[in-house]
Amino acid sequence: MKSMTCQQLGGPCNLSHHGSTADEVIKAQDKHLREAVSGGDQAHESALKEMKGRWKHPVAGMGWYRKAKRDFADLPEG
Ligand SMILES: [Zn+2]
């Protein structure tokens, strides 16, 4: 298991997501952003907008996705 914070994934807070693959933490971040915003947290709105934009424009979003995967791969296990 590795962990990445909301911040490392482009968000505003230090909540960490745990997962064994980058996809897992990216999905956890997506869920976290949605929950934060639907709970009225404005700080997460721009990050959620960016995340949604990535799903809508997969080619443009691929650079971010690759970077997140690379960052995840570089993390120490723990
Ligand atoms: Zn957050």
Side-chain angles (χ1 to χ4, degrees), residues 9 25-27 29-31 33-34 46-56 64:
L9 292 159
V25 297
I26 289 169
K27 272 185 201 142
Q29 172 71 351
D30 187 45
K31 185 164 175 274
L33 292 174
R34 284 167 203 274
S46 62
L48 178 62
K49 225 180 253 176
E50 284 170 26
M51 186 70 91
K52 282 183 176 166
R54 277 178 210 117
W55 304 145
K56 269 188 218 152
W64 177 90

Side-chain angles (χ1 to χ4, degrees), residues 6-7 11-15 17 29 32-33 36 44:
C6 175
Q7 221 160 34
C13 80
N14 276 325
L15 184 90
H17 303 298
Q29 172 71 351
H32 162 63
L33 292 174
H44 286 75

Side-chain angles (χ1 to χ4, degrees), residues 53-63 65:
R54 277 178 210 117
W55 304 145
K56 269 188 218 152
H57 307 284
V59 177
M62 197 49 78
Y65 188 74

